[in-house]
Amino acid sequence: MNGTLNKVMLIGHLGDDIKMHYFEGGNCIGRFPLATNEVYINKQTNEKITSTEWHNLVVRNKAAEICEKYLTKGDKIYVEGRIKSRQWQAEDGTTKYTTEIQVTEFTFLNVKKDTESNKHLPTSEPKGNFDSNIDSNDLPY
């Protein structure tokens, strides 16, 4: 063991629907923003303050397909994963940087009501443990 750990656990709400990207060979990734909130009291004003942090999440292959099928903007989800930073060249030649959460496990936390519009949902909330064997450096994004 190398003595380091890169593990993230988040509970938050989707800031948008899943955006899917498909690649040759049948692989795919899904991306979505996740909002987490911290609420505290300002001791000087006694005002309740909510601070929102946004996280860029990436799910792969089967996990991406499951998330796309069952999640929509505003849904609550628990995720585990690792932090991954990457850079790329934009069309204008500038170097762009981003930090993402590569999701390895998730649990949907919304309770869906049994209506005509969502009878296709499973009776138990989807939960997954998905670890891709694809190196993110091999993906064309």
Side-chain angles (χ1 to χ4, degrees):
M1 183 165 164
N2 64 10
T4 67
L5 176 67
N6 180 353
K7 183 167 183 139
V8 176
M9 296 183 290
L10 300 168
I11 295 176
H13 293 273
L14 274 70
D16 202 354
D17 292 339
I18 312 291
K19 303 288 188 251
M20 296 293 290
H21 303 277
Y22 296 92
F23 305 103
E24 288 184 25
N27 293 321
C28 63
I29 61 171
R31 298 178 181 281
F32 61 95
L34 187 78
T36 56
N37 295 320
E38 177 184 2
V39 179
Y40 61 93
I41 303 295
N42 180 320
K43 292 186 182 193
Q44 295 174 345
T45 64
N46 223 15
E47 178 184 6
K48 183 170 136 180
I49 307 291
T50 300
S51 173
T52 301
E53 187 70 35
W54 287 95
H55 313 274
N56 298 312
L57 274 62
V58 177
V59 288
R60 299 182 184 286
N61 300 323
K62 185 68 173 170
E65 293 169 355
I66 290 169
C67 287
E68 181 192 33
K69 183 174 181 179
Y70 295 113
L71 292 174
T72 58
K73 180 178 179 177
D75 284 348
K76 191 173 187 180
I77 187 173
Y78 166 82
V79 298
E80 290 185 20
R82 16 179 207 280
I83 297 172
K84 177 82 174 177
S85 299
R86 63 182 177 88
Q87 69 182 45
W88 70 97
Q89 293 296 113
E91 289 181 15
D92 64 5
T94 60
T95 301
K96 302 288 185 174
Y97 301 88
T98 191
T99 300
E100 300 170 324
I101 307 300
Q102 304 277 325
V103 176
T104 56
E105 294 186 43
F106 61 87
T107 302
F108 298 170
L109 300 177
N110 277 10
V111 177
K112 300 285 188 182
K113 293 184 172 39
D114 188 20
T115 64
E116 284 301 316
S117 64
N118 61 18
K119 280 192 176 175
H120 65 279
L121 290 173
T123 54
S124 62
E125 293 301 317
K127 180 178 180 176
N129 181 349
F130 299 91
D131 204 354
S132 174
N133 58 2
I134 298 172
D135 183 350
S136 62
N137 294 328
D138 293 338
L139 295 176
Y141 60 83

